[in-house]
Amino acid sequence: MSEDRLAELERRIARLESRLGTGVDTVDPPRRAPESPSLTAAATGMLRQAKEEDGLGTVGYVGAARLPGGESLWDRQLSLAELLSADWAPVAGILESLGSLPRLALLATLVRRGRCTTTELQESLGGDGEQTTSGQLYHHLRALQSARLITQRRRGEYALAPQATIQVLTILAAAYNLANDPPFGLPADPE
């Protein structure tokens, strides 16, 4: 270590010790990350843009995750005009593949743990009788593979498809909110 570098370190240590030695903790508190803009502000901007362009609007989703496969940040948008005129056949297939409690449990396990063997996936389904048989497990795994939501890494080892992670988490969050949020406004008139 050079003499200059050693001298600089000694000065820094002396400054820290003198600050703590005054009886007052003058060490700066850890800085918090700056507040990120709210999602409501982003949605307000989308609505303003729709009004300016005389369009229907935009639907978007954002997120951040620290999963076994690494960290992910996402920010996606799609115009409502494009969304509403889309071919729904592939969408229906994906939603159909998600419409099963055992498949949702398998996806949740793969999100939490990353790669899993068929044995681990079988165990994650618990003791629900017929739905935990190996035949039923492979039926569910094939359906999730056909929808391109999971991949088979090696024989007997599966993982969430990297290109599907963001979308699966978003779909699950939206479905969870739809199932659990109180309804908005007054109930529709049954007549």
Side-chain angles (χ1 to χ4, degrees):
M1 181 178 291
S2 74
E3 292 281 332
D4 292 338
R5 190 165 181 197
L6 180 60
E8 174 60 27
L9 284 174
E10 288 174 340
R11 280 192 295 275
R12 291 174 71 189
I13 290 171
R15 275 196 311 262
L16 286 172
E17 288 175 339
S18 70
R19 289 167 74 183
L20 291 173
T22 61
V24 177
D25 187 4
T26 58
V27 175
D28 294 345
R31 292 184 183 183
R32 289 179 24 173
E35 294 291 323
S36 60
S38 75
L39 295 177
T40 303
T44 302
M46 290 176 175
L47 183 58
R48 185 175 37 254
Q49 182 180 0
K51 288 177 182 177
E52 290 170 2
E53 297 173 1
D54 197 27
L56 294 174
T58 303
V59 65
Y61 51 97
V62 299
R66 294 179 61 220
L67 301 171
E71 294 180 351
S72 297
L73 295 171
W74 60 92
D75 169 354
R76 300 288 302 267
Q77 296 182 52
L78 188 63
S79 77
L80 284 177
E82 184 179 349
L83 180 62
L84 296 175
S85 65
D87 174 14
W88 292 100
V91 175
I94 290 171
L95 293 175
E96 185 178 315
S97 74
L98 292 171
S100 155
L101 285 175
R103 292 178 197 162
L104 292 173
L106 292 169
L107 285 172
T109 299
L110 291 169
V111 167
R112 273 194 303 276
R113 296 172 71 186
R115 295 180 189 172
C116 291
T117 65
T118 51
T119 302
E120 293 167 329
L121 292 170
Q122 185 84 34
E123 290 169 1
S124 76
L125 293 177
D128 292 340
E130 200 176 307
Q131 293 183 343
T132 62
T133 66
S134 60
Q136 220 28 47
L137 173 66
Y138 285 108
H139 168 75
H140 293 307
L141 292 173
R142 277 191 304 277
L144 293 170
Q145 278 183 288
S146 295
R148 300 179 330 157
L149 300 176
I150 66 171
T151 59
Q152 186 172 6
R153 310 288 291 180
R154 292 186 291 213
R155 182 173 171 83
E157 184 179 89
Y158 294 85
L160 193 61
Q163 76 278 2
T165 303
I166 293 165
Q167 289 83 353
V168 165
L169 291 172
T170 303
I171 291 167
L172 294 178
Y176 178 85
N177 288 340
L178 188 59
N180 292 293
D181 285 352
F184 292 113
L186 300 173
D189 188 11
E191 296 179 60

